[in-house]
Amino acid sequence: MTLTILGIESSCDDTAAAVVRGTDILSSVVYGQTALHADFGGVVPEIAARAHAEKIDLCIEEALAQADVPLSAIDGIAVTAGPGLIGGVLSGVMCAKGLATATGIPLIGVNHLAGHALTPMLTESASFPYLMLLVSGGHCQFLIAHSHDRFTRIGGTIDDAPGEAFDKTARILGLGQPGGPAVQKAAEDGDPLRFKLPRPLLDRPGCDLSFSGLKTAMLRTRDGVMAEKQGLTGADQADLAAGFQRAVADVLAEKTDRALTEYLALNPAQPSFAVAGGVAANTEIRARLQALCTAKGVTYSAPPLALCTDNAAMIAYAGGLRMAAGQTDDMTLSARPRWPLDDRTPAMLGSGKKGAKA
Ligand code: KG4
Ligand code: ZN
């Protein structure tokens, strides 16, 4: 029987609900909060939590209406139970528990990162195993996906996530938030070679990554231009944005090359790579990763842009896989601020300063 799952997502600054049947996305509604946080230069957890609590039921109603599926036809209620900003995760979990109690529909707690990491199966019919690069505002890791609930991390950031660096760079350059799309837009007319920016950790073996040094270098380089010219011209902004984006793309491409070599040595019969998470929406990064895969004879998949960033379709899909495996939850399901996908590999030192965000 194909399961019809209601998905609920509220772990950061998007309130989302979706209805997914098998791999058919019947609806996917996202209420963003960008405007609410605009004055603060980042997501304010308390504001996010309150906005989730206010909007979540409306969002669910809209998802059901758009899908034209009554609640009585839903087989399972999947909700992000972590990792994320705890107030937001709690809003979603409490709402899902209430709905499950009132209707008797089974409850399924989903790891937000598993939602991102399983998206290639939802949108691109990928099959296990595959190498996954998860790049978002709070995470950056290479994972081998063995099954819907077994992942091995073979590398990751030792400090910031690239999305965080994009957001910071946008602030440094006086561009809007979220920073990724703003920097990408500014970079379109820029010269990526004008400024010399570092490619952190490329000189070290392995596929761990680092982005905090690049952030600092951006700040210094901007200050240098400002001191020289008493301001930033549009061309300076574009060149800085293009230089930054090229540096991130270079690092991600080189580290992906290494991760692929490691993955292919273990799984030569399944040359398959997928990228997901908000930063996977970046056109230059997508193109670089795709070119790399083509050169190595590896199948490449990247979800459509709307399913790269946070959404509830990925949570519904991941929840459906859990439910099919008999992994439903009861009312003891708790909201978790931290929840590594691979809990056998030791946590990385310094990883995810903003780790609550995924
Ligand atoms: O996965 P996601 O929606 O949320 C969490 O991180 O939880 O990722 C959001 C991140 C933000 O940092 C945003 O700036 C970045 O993804 N992002 C991008 C682009 N679109 C979104 N970064 C680079 N280029 C983009 N086009
Ligand atoms: Zn996310």
Side-chain angles (χ1 to χ4, degrees):
M1 182 188 104
T2 308
L3 296 170
T4 304
I5 307 288
L6 170 67
I8 302 172
E9 156 64 35
S10 57
S11 65
C12 188
D13 57 350
D14 290 304
T15 313
V19 179
V20 173
R21 180 175 291 148
T23 52
D24 284 340
I25 301 172
L26 304 183
S27 65
S28 179
V29 178
V30 180
Y31 289 180
Q33 300 180 352
T34 309
L36 295 180
H37 304 287
D39 291 344
F40 303 97
V43 176
V44 184
E46 290 76 10
I47 293 177
R50 196 169 334 130
H52 286 305
E54 276 168 11
K55 290 280 160 56
I56 209 154
D57 48 349
L58 296 174
C59 193
I60 292 169
E61 270 176 15
E62 196 173 327
L64 291 167
Q66 279 187 19
D68 199 16
V69 170
L71 201 48
S72 57
I74 295 289
D75 297 308
I77 298 171
V79 62
T80 298
L85 299 173
I86 196 65
V89 179
L90 263 174
S91 297
V93 168
M94 296 309 288
C95 176
K97 281 185 180 176
L99 263 182
T101 309
T103 58
I105 300 171
L107 175 71
I108 315 144
V110 170
N111 183 313
H112 176 87
L113 301 175
H116 280 302
L118 296 169
T119 300
M121 300 192 59
L122 168 63
T123 60
E124 324 285 308
S125 320
S127 56
F128 297 121
Y130 52 87
L131 176 69
M132 174 85 217
L133 168 60
L134 183 57
V135 266
S136 71
H139 285 267
C140 182
Q141 42 191 299
F142 289 106
L143 296 160
I144 300 176
H146 305 282
S147 73
H148 77 279
D149 65 349
R150 201 162 69 81
F151 302 89
T152 308
R153 198 187 64 224
I154 61 170
T157 181
I158 57 165
D159 42 54
D160 301 335
E164 205 175 334
F166 266 99
D167 295 340
K168 178 76 190 282
T169 294
R171 280 196 288 280
I172 290 174
L173 298 181
L175 304 167
Q177 294 292 320
V183 170
Q184 175 171 316
K185 180 96 196 37
E188 275 170 14
D189 307 317
D191 170 8
L193 305 177
R194 177 172 152 206
F195 297 104
K196 234 177 118 43
L197 293 162
R199 270 65 177 157
L201 288 195
L202 282 200
D203 54 339
R204 281 202 237 149
C207 42
D208 284 342
L209 307 102
S210 159
F211 293 96
S212 77
L214 179 57
K215 254 173 31 182
T216 313
M218 280 302 292
L219 186 61
R220 291 224 182 89
T221 310
R222 183 214 57 181
D223 287 349
V225 178
M226 299 270 278
E228 205 180 290
K229 300 187 176 173
Q230 266 72 55
L232 275 191
T233 64
D236 296 331
Q237 237 181 5
D239 294 345
L240 281 163
F244 167 80
Q245 186 170 274
R246 178 64 55 86
V248 176
D250 280 351
V251 169
L252 289 177
E254 169 61 26
K255 294 289 178 168
T256 301
D257 193 355
R258 295 183 197 175
L260 271 172
T261 303
E262 204 172 307
Y263 166 82
L264 291 171
L266 300 168
N267 303 279
Q270 183 77 8
S272 181
F273 171 79
V275 62
V279 179
N282 186 277
T283 318
E284 179 170 353
I285 292 170
R286 283 167 95 96
R288 288 289 295 280
L289 297 176
Q290 181 157 24
L292 173 71
C293 286
T294 307
K296 287 180 94 87
V298 169
T299 310
Y300 167 83
S301 60
L305 301 190
L307 295 170
C308 281
T309 47
D310 286 350
N311 65 88
M314 67 180 190
I315 302 304
Y317 178 70
L321 295 182
R322 286 185 68 78
M323 188 169 180
Q327 297 165 324
T328 54
D329 288 281
D330 59 22
M331 290 302 133
T332 61
L333 175 69
S334 54
R336 299 172 62 171
R338 289 192 173 264
W339 186 1
L341 261 190
D342 172 6
D343 46 20
R344 287 170 300 265
T345 306
M348 299 190 59
L349 249 193
S351 164
K353 275 188 211 150
K354 217 164 113 191
K357 208 183 167 216

